[in-house]
Amino acid sequence: MVAITHHLRFLCGMLALGLLPACATVGVRKAPPPLPADPFERALMAYVRGDLEQATADLQEVIRSHPEDLRARDLLQAVYQEKGGSLALSPPPPLTLLLPQPASPERIMQIVLGRNPEIRKAIFQIIEARARLREAQVDFGPEFSLLTRFHPLGVFTTLTQSILDGIWGRKARMHQAEESLLASVANYTRVRMAILDSALNSYLQFLEAEELIEVLKAELQVREEQRRVASLRSQHGTLLSPDLLAIEQGLAATQQKLAEARKSLEVARTTLNGLMGRRVDAPLSLQPKRVVVAVPEDVRQAITRARSQRPELQEAQAQLAEAQAGHEIIRTRLPRIELRTTYGASSREGRGDFFMGSSTGLRFSTPLLIWPLQKARSAREAALVKQLEMEVAAWQTRLAVEAVEAYQKLQEAQKRFVTAVKQSEEAREALRIARAVDRWGKGEERFTLLAAQIKQSEAHQQLIRRDYAIQRASLQLQRVMGTLPERVIFTSPAPNRQEEDRSPRPHPDRALWAWHPAFLQEPQE
């Protein structure tokens, strides 16, 4: 009886030692990155760290300022569940009351962040990984069980799950759970960047299509007038048929461009509404703002920032660390140890132990093939670690190539824009001269004026496309460097693009000159 009491005290002492680390706060032991400026991102980082009070305060602030933010509501519910409570939130207000007309790009991006299903799904993955971390925090150490056979002389005490394995393997299991949580955070960042990149591109597509539609409408009026004048000149033999055919083909091409621009506008509107969780056919009006181009000093700086901030590389590094932790678990795994203390020969559990009847001793309970199996699993995990190491190296190379390509693409877009500006200035000057000649010249100069207006319209369209190409190239470079969306800055409409007079009407002081009397007999003239 004294021996049994001694061993029970020993087991209780080991149980207390094993459960002592479980009293610690569940959190990430690694040095966390600095808190971001965005309130929700700050709350998310506090939740990952285990600072639930700070996360609660930040999330309540987000919901007060942006009641339509569904991801903040989801995360706040998870925080209350982890603290052992519940929360009842009022339903979010209708989105139609929260979206101004016209809407700024900053407001569009905020609504996309708060309501997009893919982003909310990534948030739930973080919540799941956080739960796995809490489970790994308490799922270790000895498990103590006291069983009885309901026999006056039979008492059976067993200690299962290796104490040494609980002590040695805890660090590796916690490390594995932490890396899984960090990988889910990196996945959220990647999904958020992809969704916002799509929203920003759709925003630029919407504005570009709107501007092109206005320019093409004016050009279409000019081309219709050009065809009418050309038809009259062709009837009187002063214009060749091939020239008239070329004018009609130009009119058809402008009509096709206008139809494509309207289709592009509809696609951009539908995409933005879908990303915001609205009806895809809902009307949408946007404020025309320009993306501020932020070019790094050199391409090496872009590569460095890409490697330090891109979530894909961070996720690959987290997967590598998780695999290394799993390999460590298998490498240090020990056989299962059982401590058995029996009293009385009537206990069937005592048979086969070290002694018959009253017995105390240690027994290894392990399969016969545990050592070959452990070696095979260790080799498999080692191969996985090597594979993930190559994946990390491949991502580093891939990001360097992407940074160089995006940097060059932005430089080329800026050069093309400079060329388009020069061409637009030349076309504007030619139009000014044609208007002056048309004002004091003969009727034949009217045809020259229409051609100059068409050339100026085409140059203006090219200038619009080059301008938006610069903004898209800037967004691509910022996406490669991992700076979306917090550092995307918008400003007022492009100051370097002057609004041009695209009116096809002649000057009001122009004298009416006709090249043929029949021209005056036209009712439309």
Side-chain angles (χ1 to χ4, degrees):
M1 197 61 159
V2 176
I4 294 178
T5 304
H6 174 72
H7 285 292
L8 284 176
R9 289 177 179 175
F10 169 74
L11 295 179
C12 293
M14 294 303 297
L15 180 64
L17 290 175
L19 293 180
L20 182 61
C23 300
T25 303
V26 180
V28 180
R29 292 180 286 109
K30 290 190 173 184
L35 290 176
D38 184 81
F40 178 81
E41 304 299 333
R42 185 170 61 248
L44 180 62
M45 190 58 63
Y47 173 74
V48 170
R49 293 176 174 180
D51 190 354
L52 301 184
E53 297 302 327
Q54 181 65 38
T56 302
D58 290 336
L59 289 173
Q60 289 174 348
E61 177 187 350
V62 173
I63 294 177
R64 280 195 301 268
S65 58
H66 302 288
E68 80 286 351
D69 198 329
L70 300 182
R71 56 175 185 164
R73 294 169 175 263
D74 298 336
L75 189 58
L76 187 59
Q77 291 281 4
V79 170
Y80 269 83
Q81 290 178 2
E82 185 169 333
K83 293 193 297 186
S86 60
L87 178 65
L89 294 173
S90 59
L95 187 58
T96 54
L97 302 179
L98 302 172
L99 187 63
Q101 297 289 341
S104 65
E106 296 86 355
R107 186 59 178 150
I108 293 290
M109 300 306 120
Q110 182 64 39
I111 295 177
V112 168
L113 280 173
R115 299 179 61 89
N116 187 267
E118 292 294 328
I119 296 179
R120 295 179 63 192
K121 177 182 175 181
I123 292 294
F124 277 104
Q125 291 177 353
I126 294 178
I127 295 174
E128 180 186 2
R130 169 75 184 168
R132 285 198 298 268
L133 177 61
R134 296 170 58 203
E135 181 181 358
Q137 177 72 23
V138 298
D139 186 19
F140 75 97
E143 294 179 358
F144 180 77
S145 59
L146 177 63
L147 306 176
T148 178
R149 287 283 176 183
F150 300 101
H151 193 278
L153 299 179
V155 178
F156 171 64
T157 307
T158 179
L159 178 65
T160 59
Q161 187 172 346
S162 170
I163 298 175
L164 296 178
D165 180 66
I167 295 175
W168 292 354
R170 175 180 178 273
K171 182 178 180 181
R173 282 193 295 271
M174 287 292 297
H175 181 65
Q176 190 175 19
E178 289 172 358
E179 298 302 335
S180 177
L181 178 59
L182 295 179
S184 65
V185 173
N187 177 68
Y188 160 76
T189 306
R190 179 182 57 80
V191 171
R192 182 193 61 184
M193 286 177 56
I195 295 298
L196 285 178
D197 191 42
S198 177
L200 288 168
N201 286 330
S202 298
Y203 170 78
L204 295 180
Q205 179 183 351
F206 188 98
L207 296 184
E208 181 181 7
E210 275 192 332
E211 290 194 41
L212 289 177
I213 286 174
E214 294 300 321
V215 176
L216 289 170
K217 282 181 179 179
E219 181 183 335
L220 188 61
Q221 295 179 8
V222 176
R223 286 190 178 275
E224 288 176 350
E225 183 179 357
Q226 185 187 39
R227 182 184 62 176
R228 182 164 48 84
V229 174
S231 299
L232 293 174
R233 294 184 62 179
S234 177
Q235 292 175 4
H236 292 82
T238 58
L239 184 69
L240 298 178
S241 298
D243 295 334
L244 178 61
L245 180 61
I247 291 174
E248 292 178 348
Q249 291 176 349
L251 176 62
T254 302
Q255 292 173 342
Q256 180 66 24
K257 290 179 182 178
L258 182 59
E260 291 176 355
R262 286 172 174 166
K263 181 179 179 181
S264 178
L265 179 66
E266 182 67 18
V267 169
R269 182 178 64 85
T270 302
T271 303
L272 281 177
N273 283 333
L275 291 175
M276 289 187 293
R278 303 178 71 208
R279 291 188 359 257
V280 294
D281 58 343
L284 183 63
S285 176
L286 301 180
Q287 293 181 4
K289 287 191 175 183
R290 178 183 174 85
V291 175
V292 176
V293 180
V295 185
E297 296 179 359
D298 54 15
V299 69
R300 289 172 296 187
Q301 181 184 6
I303 294 174
T304 302
R305 290 173 60 180
R307 288 182 174 178
S308 62
Q309 298 182 15
R310 275 293 289 274
E312 290 86 350
L313 179 57
Q314 297 174 3
E315 186 174 2
Q317 292 172 341
Q319 291 176 354
L320 173 60
E322 184 179 358
Q324 291 173 343
H327 186 208
E328 185 68 15
I329 291 176
I330 293 177
R331 192 180 64 84
T332 60
R333 179 171 295 171
L334 296 177
R336 192 177 186 87
I337 300 176
E338 294 183 358
L339 173 64
R340 295 189 175 227
T341 302
T342 62
Y343 174 77
S346 62
S347 175
R348 295 182 60 185
E349 293 295 335
R351 301 182 184 278
D353 284 336
F354 291 85
F355 304 99
M356 293 296 294
S358 300
S359 63
T360 302
L362 289 172
R363 184 178 70 177
F364 284 90
S365 175
T366 179
L368 294 177
L369 298 179
I370 183 64
W371 302 113
L373 181 62
Q374 181 178 359
K375 289 183 178 180
R377 289 178 177 174
S378 179
R380 183 192 65 186
E381 292 295 325
L384 177 61
V385 168
K386 291 294 184 182
Q387 176 185 351
L388 293 176
E389 287 177 351
M390 297 299 294
E391 180 68 18
V392 170
W395 263 112
Q396 291 177 344
T397 304
R398 197 175 308 155
L399 292 181
V401 173
E402 287 184 7
V404 172
E405 291 178 351
Y407 194 86
Q408 292 177 347
K409 185 176 181 181
L410 178 58
Q411 289 183 330
E412 292 174 359
Q414 290 175 332
K415 292 179 181 178
R416 293 195 187 100
F417 180 75
V418 172
T419 304
V421 169
K422 293 180 180 179
Q423 293 175 352
S424 178
E425 292 175 352
E426 294 174 357
R428 189 183 301 112
E429 179 64 18
L431 177 60
R432 186 189 66 81
I433 296 174
R435 280 177 175 168
V437 173
D438 176 68
R439 181 178 179 182
W440 304 107
K442 296 182 180 180
E444 289 83 351
E445 305 299 337
R446 181 63 177 163
F447 202 72
T448 305
L449 174 62
L450 296 175
Q453 287 180 336
I454 293 175
K455 276 189 167 297
Q456 187 270 341
S457 176
E458 292 175 346
H460 193 194
Q461 296 172 40
Q462 187 72 5
L463 183 63
I464 292 174
R465 293 189 178 95
R466 297 305 184 193
D467 183 31
Y468 283 98
I470 289 181
Q471 299 183 61
R472 289 191 178 91
S474 175
L475 287 177
Q476 175 67 15
L477 181 58
Q478 294 183 49
R479 189 189 70 82
V480 169
M481 295 187 298
T483 57
L484 287 178
E486 292 86 359
R487 301 182 187 178
V488 176
I489 303 174
F490 296 92
T491 184
S492 57
N496 52 357
R497 286 218 320 267
Q498 300 179 1
E499 290 295 330
E500 306 183 23
D501 183 13
R502 298 183 296 271
S503 174
R505 297 186 302 272
H507 196 278
D509 296 337
R510 181 187 186 278
L512 181 59
W513 288 86
W515 58 272
H516 194 275
F519 189 81
L520 299 176
Q521 298 175 3
E522 292 291 329
Q524 296 179 355
E525 292 296 332

